[in-house]
Amino acid sequence: MSGAVRVRFAPSPTGYLHVGGARTAFFNWLFVRSEGGSFILRIEDTDVARSTQESLQAILESMRWLGMDWDEGPGKDGAAGPYFQSQRMEKYREFSSRLLASGHAYRCFCTREELEDRRAASLAEKGALKYDGRCERLSPEEVLSLEAGGRPCVVRFRVRSGVTSWQDEVKGRIEFSNSELDDFIITRSNGTPTYNFAAVVDDVTMQITHVIRGDEHISNTPRQILLYEALGEALPVFAHLPMILGPDGTKLSKRHGAVAISHYERQGFLPEAMANFLALLGWAYDGKREIFTREELVRKFSLERVSSNPSVFDQDKLIWMNGQYMRELPSSRRHEMVRRFLREEEGMNDVDTRGDWIDRIVDVVGDRMKVASQITELAGFFFEDRVRYDEKARELLLSGAGTSELLLKVAGRLESLKDYGAVSIEEAIRGLAGEMGLKAGELIHPARAALTGKTTSPGIFDVMTLLGRERCLSRLRDAADFAASERAS
Ligand code: GLU
């Protein structure tokens, strides 16, 4: 096994999988699939109070949806398991004892209150805020007697003096002066390991070769490197991925709106498009090309092409990209996506009892729909009982003196049609326009406003067909009333 690439994604199950986490997971996945090796999914659930089964399931579900399969992890046992930190306590205890025995760690009996008092005093004198090392100086006898007295203690790592540095695959050389780090806690008084310690024990015992994660962890890395050194273990390669920013230039977060991958799934985004989009959050091929199949991404991905600069999460671009994938889909899949969206997100309960009506609407909307959820904005008027006129439609209906009459004429013509279908409707409306000495548009535009409440819509004859005669007539007449009464008042 030595020499084989092993990477890990290590989410804490305290929430859903968000865009940033998914990007980290995907870069790990792309890297290992392009290099060959194993992708390990490790669940960092030592925070028992905040870890939940629901969020674990949500994370796994989003990973599967994005097509990121793992070789070892939940549901996939391997030699390096278990893959839940809560089941690895024995290992953390063992490594903690090792560091205590080698003198790289020591027990600290300072209580929270003592630490706070000393910190406040130090602050008042403009001194350092880090741990002052008091327990480092306890004699073995003092330690024994404090322990015998049952006083709770934590285990602290003894940070050596000097400098800690590494060659980051993405960020280049990074250096920290150890004087900036205090003797950090590796085991809490209740026996649980802290993040930095558990992560290193796991990365060592799981034989992780490349640690690829968000750059918010850069400040943890020197502590982790010191732990590797103390344990006499070879360092993995570190690659810290650039931050993802929201459109306002601050770190992407809930404040910017939807960041949960499951939200995008529910809105009808395609996993292929989402994955393609995530790949471009920090990685680029030639700076021009943006659409890649998954196989191409695997073939072309490399850490060298990951930028060290932040990338911006541009939702419009995601929508555009999704549209590129949508247009390639067979119509049956588009139908199914819209049906699912209307059923599950809009609570429409007659989606499946109306024959192919919805599918035909999806077809006439065509490529304007870049995401399934856009069906409501592009074709919501089909599903609503009453039309609401938007501002432009209102203006149009109220602009001409004869609009009311025109709409009534259109209604009359539709009412008298024997065969109510797109072709005969078109003939009838064009015929009517000719008889009245008008251009077809002069009838179509107000009719569109009357039927859809908007000034743009799918082809009007398709709209008339799919709305059905009765609804068309009543909408045209309502709009005629509206145009007449509003003008009168
Ligand atoms: N559980 C940590 C996180 O979600 C993992 C960090 C790491 O990859 O080391 O941020």
Side-chain angles (χ1 to χ4, degrees):
M1 148 130 54
S2 88
V5 168
R6 288 173 65 81
V7 299
R8 84 310 193 269
F9 175 56
S12 304
T14 53
Y16 44 74
L17 184 67
H18 54 76
V19 169
R23 191 276 309 257
T24 296
F26 197 41
F27 279 29
N28 273 284
W29 186 91
L30 284 172
F31 176 71
V32 80
R33 295 296 175 246
S34 67
E35 296 284 315
S38 303
F39 180 43
I40 290 123
L41 179 58
R42 178 170 81 220
I43 307 300
E44 304 211 324
D45 60 347
T46 51
D47 185 345
V48 187
R50 290 177 59 228
S51 299
T52 67
Q53 194 56 30
E54 293 77 66
S55 105
L56 171 66
Q57 290 314 325
I59 292 170
L60 299 185
E61 169 64 30
S62 291
M63 300 266 306
R64 290 193 193 101
W65 181 68
L66 286 169
M68 298 190 274
D69 57 324
W70 53 96
D71 306 301
E72 297 171 35
K76 277 230 165 157
D77 275 342
Y83 297 94
F84 289 81
Q85 287 192 327
S86 58
Q87 295 166 23
R88 299 173 64 80
M89 292 300 164
E90 204 48 59
K91 289 218 161 40
Y92 308 132
R93 268 192 289 276
E94 177 194 322
F95 276 75
S96 185
S97 308
R98 250 171 80 180
L99 290 173
L100 281 167
S102 64
H104 287 102
Y106 58 90
R107 292 196 167 77
C108 168
F109 297 88
C110 298
T111 63
R112 191 181 299 260
E113 295 72 39
E114 286 166 357
L115 291 173
E116 272 162 20
D117 289 350
R118 269 150 46 204
R119 210 171 285 154
S122 170
L123 189 62
E125 292 161 26
K126 299 212 178 343
L129 286 178
K130 25 182 239 179
Y131 179 61
D132 59 9
R134 177 166 308 201
C135 290
E136 192 194 10
R137 298 185 287 274
L138 293 174
S139 68
E141 295 73 34
E142 284 171 312
V143 169
L144 277 178
S145 93
L146 282 163
E147 274 191 312
R151 184 140 166 182
C153 69
V154 301
V155 178
R156 285 186 188 271
F157 181 77
R158 198 187 301 272
V159 172
R160 63 166 173 80
S161 59
V163 166
T164 301
S165 65
W166 74 96
Q167 186 64 29
D168 196 275
E169 277 295 286
V170 174
K171 304 268 177 177
R173 183 123 212 112
I174 301 185
E175 217 174 81
F176 278 83
S177 161
N178 293 352
S179 61
E180 289 171 37
L181 315 171
D182 53 359
D183 286 355
F184 57 92
I185 297 175
I186 59 175
T187 306
R188 301 188 186 90
S189 57
N190 65 4
T192 60
T194 56
Y195 155 70
N196 278 310
F197 182 55
V200 168
V201 171
D202 290 346
D203 288 342
V204 164
T205 51
M206 293 178 175
Q207 296 178 294
I208 299 302
T209 57
H210 295 71
V211 170
I212 305 170
R213 62 183 170 203
D215 64 5
E216 69 273 20
H217 286 290
I218 284 185
S219 62
N220 289 317
T221 306
R223 294 184 179 84
Q224 299 185 5
I225 290 177
L226 289 167
L227 284 164
Y228 269 90
E229 272 179 22
L231 292 167
E233 297 288 342
L235 291 184
V237 170
F238 288 101
H240 287 94
L241 306 175
M243 192 181 281
I244 305 172
L245 306 177
D248 62 353
T250 64
K251 187 177 176 183
L252 185 70
S253 76
K254 273 192 222 160
R255 282 180 300 110
H256 294 105
V259 288
I261 295 297
S262 54
H263 164 85
Y264 292 97
E265 179 185 2
R266 288 200 309 273
Q267 294 296 298
F269 282 82
L270 297 163
E272 306 87 295
M274 193 78 206
N276 189 158
F277 178 78
L278 289 173
L280 298 180
L281 289 175
W283 173 85
Y285 177 56
D286 56 8
K288 290 198 267 312
R289 195 169 151 197
E290 303 201 284
I291 304 288
F292 300 91
T293 64
R294 174 152 319 219
E295 293 66 37
E296 287 170 325
L297 286 175
V298 167
R299 232 177 308 123
K300 297 183 190 303
F301 185 85
S302 71
L303 289 173
E304 283 101 81
R305 288 191 181 279
V306 175
S307 163
S308 57
N309 299 319
S311 59
V312 176
F313 180 84
D314 177 352
Q315 183 139 324
D316 292 339
K317 181 166 161 187
L318 170 59
I319 292 171
W320 167 81
M321 190 169 277
N322 203 68
Q324 301 293 305
Y325 281 83
M326 282 289 264
R327 55 193 334 161
E328 304 297 324
L329 286 187
S331 47
S332 59
R333 181 129 182 249
R334 298 158 62 100
H335 298 159
E336 191 31 59
M337 295 198 71
V338 170
R339 281 174 182 248
R340 191 185 100 148
F341 173 78
L342 291 173
R343 201 189 298 122
E344 291 173 19
E345 301 304 311
E346 296 291 298
M348 240 169 98
N349 43 29
D350 56 353
V351 169
D352 300 309
T353 56
R354 308 187 70 154
D356 64 355
W357 184 60
I358 294 202
D359 304 341
R360 288 166 65 205
I361 291 174
V362 173
D363 292 341
V364 305
V365 168
D367 290 341
R368 270 175 294 232
M369 181 183 74
K370 302 198 163 33
V371 185
S373 60
Q374 288 180 333
I375 196 71
T376 49
E377 114 205 13
L378 295 167
F381 59 85
F382 280 113
F383 312 127
E384 284 154 13
D385 291 336
R386 290 186 70 84
V387 210
R388 274 164 300 167
Y389 308 126
D390 70 15
E391 194 133 311
K392 284 197 197 139
R394 230 184 143 78
E395 253 169 46
L396 193 143
L397 288 172
L398 299 176
S399 63
T403 305
S404 179
E405 285 82 339
L406 290 185
L407 292 170
L408 292 174
K409 284 233 161 66
V410 172
R413 196 51 65 101
L414 294 182
E415 190 167 30
S416 65
L417 267 183
K418 266 204 218 69
D419 159 40
Y420 192 82
V423 176
S424 52
I425 293 173
E426 176 160 6
E427 265 171 27
I429 302 296
R430 292 197 188 281
L432 175 63
E435 287 163 33
M436 295 175 72
L438 299 172
K439 284 189 237 125
E442 290 173 86
L443 294 181
I444 289 172
H445 297 318
R448 181 191 316 274
L451 297 174
T452 70
K454 295 172 192 262
T455 49
T456 54
S457 77
I460 193 67
F461 306 117
D462 288 326
V463 167
M464 288 175 165
T465 312
L466 286 169
L467 265 179
R469 186 181 338 228
E470 287 318 307
R471 286 212 287 170
C472 276
L473 297 185
S474 72
R475 286 185 188 194
L476 289 164
R477 285 171 183 150
D478 284 351
D481 284 349
F482 171 76
S485 64
E486 288 278 326
R487 283 186 71 79
S489 63

